[in-house]
Amino acid sequence: MSPETRRVRFTHAGPCALAFLASFSIMAVEMAAGRIMAQYVGSGLYTWTSVIGVVLGGITIGNLAGGRLADRFEPRRTLSILFCLACLSCVAIPLINHWVGRWSSWELATFTSFQLRVLTHVTLVFLLSSTILGLIGPVVARLALSLGRETGRTLGNIYAWGALGSILGTFLTGFFLIASWGTCGAILGAAGLLGATGLALGPRIALRFLVIT
């Protein structure tokens, strides 16, 4: 196999790896979300219902906005910034949860509906990070399509690798990461993975963005 062939194959594998890493991180955050909520609102049915709904809602909003980003900006540079932004939003989750928890102890307690209290708490803590993570998918798809392969095959590979990342993120976080690193450790581990990916995509762009923020 010639060096050119190896280079092309590695290039086409890049977007699949990015879809895998983004989906892995989404599920790591979602699996940890139910545990991190337990301190303030418990870990029952209402909590998990709110977590799943809010994360899916954030991904939906992110996908819609990410499609517009993909049409307007160069994919690689955009992905570098989005992965770094996702890293920062995940790092902020424990802090936001603490602030919302202190506020909710007296403000949200006035809500007559416990379900509404749980949903409000989860939304304030996780909607931002899940929305930012949702931005990544359409830009990855645009990057993959720009490499010139068949549209159906390319998108099928992106979706499949994204689904595989979600599966592995679910099992690895639930069976190993939370038990070994703790809830916050699992979230910060996902943040580290996202940050490293952003730096790898564009070191100068990512560092400039992190310095500005």
Side-chain angles (χ1 to χ4, degrees):
M1 184 182 296
S2 67
E4 285 295 320
T5 303
R6 284 195 294 269
R7 182 177 63 82
V8 171
R9 287 193 176 184
F10 174 78
T11 300
H12 284 294
C16 294
L18 295 177
F20 178 93
L21 293 172
S23 297
F24 179 97
S25 300
I26 289 173
M27 291 310 302
V29 169
E30 184 172 354
M31 291 297 296
R35 295 286 296 253
I36 203 172
M37 289 288 101
Q39 178 181 356
Y40 297 105
V41 296
S43 58
L45 177 63
Y46 297 144
T47 300
W48 278 108
T49 300
S50 298
V51 166
I52 294 171
V54 167
V55 171
L56 288 176
I59 292 172
T60 301
I61 296 170
N63 285 168
L64 289 171
R68 288 166 173 76
L69 290 177
D71 287 336
R72 294 186 60 184
F73 302 104
E74 195 276 323
R76 187 184 182 97
R77 294 170 59 89
T78 304
L79 285 170
S80 178
I81 294 174
L82 288 180
F83 271 96
C84 290
L85 192 59
C87 167
L88 295 177
S89 70
C90 289
V91 168
I93 286 175
L95 296 175
I96 297 174
N97 183 56
H98 175 69
W99 295 333
V100 173
R102 294 185 61 184
W103 173 66
S104 68
S105 63
W106 56 274
E107 189 69 27
L108 293 184
T110 62
F111 286 10
T112 57
S113 170
F114 179 69
Q115 294 95 318
L116 183 58
R117 177 185 175 185
V118 174
L119 178 59
T120 302
H121 191 127
V122 173
T123 300
L124 291 173
V125 176
F126 289 101
L127 183 62
L128 176 63
S129 57
S130 58
T131 299
I132 294 173
L133 284 164
L135 293 170
I136 294 173
V139 185
V140 169
R142 175 63 186 274
L143 175 63
L145 289 172
S146 70
L147 299 177
R149 278 188 165 179
E150 301 91 337
T151 300
R153 179 181 177 183
T154 298
L155 294 179
N157 286 339
I158 294 296
Y159 293 150
W161 280 96
L164 184 60
S166 296
I167 293 169
L168 186 59
T170 299
F171 283 112
L172 189 60
T173 304
F175 288 164
F176 175 73
L177 293 182
I178 291 177
S180 300
W181 297 358
T183 304
C184 290
I187 292 176
L188 294 178
L193 181 64
L194 292 166
T197 303
L199 288 171
L201 284 169
R204 292 183 181 178
I205 299 169
L207 289 173
R208 188 181 310 156
F209 172 78
L210 291 173
V211 168
I212 292 174
T213 53

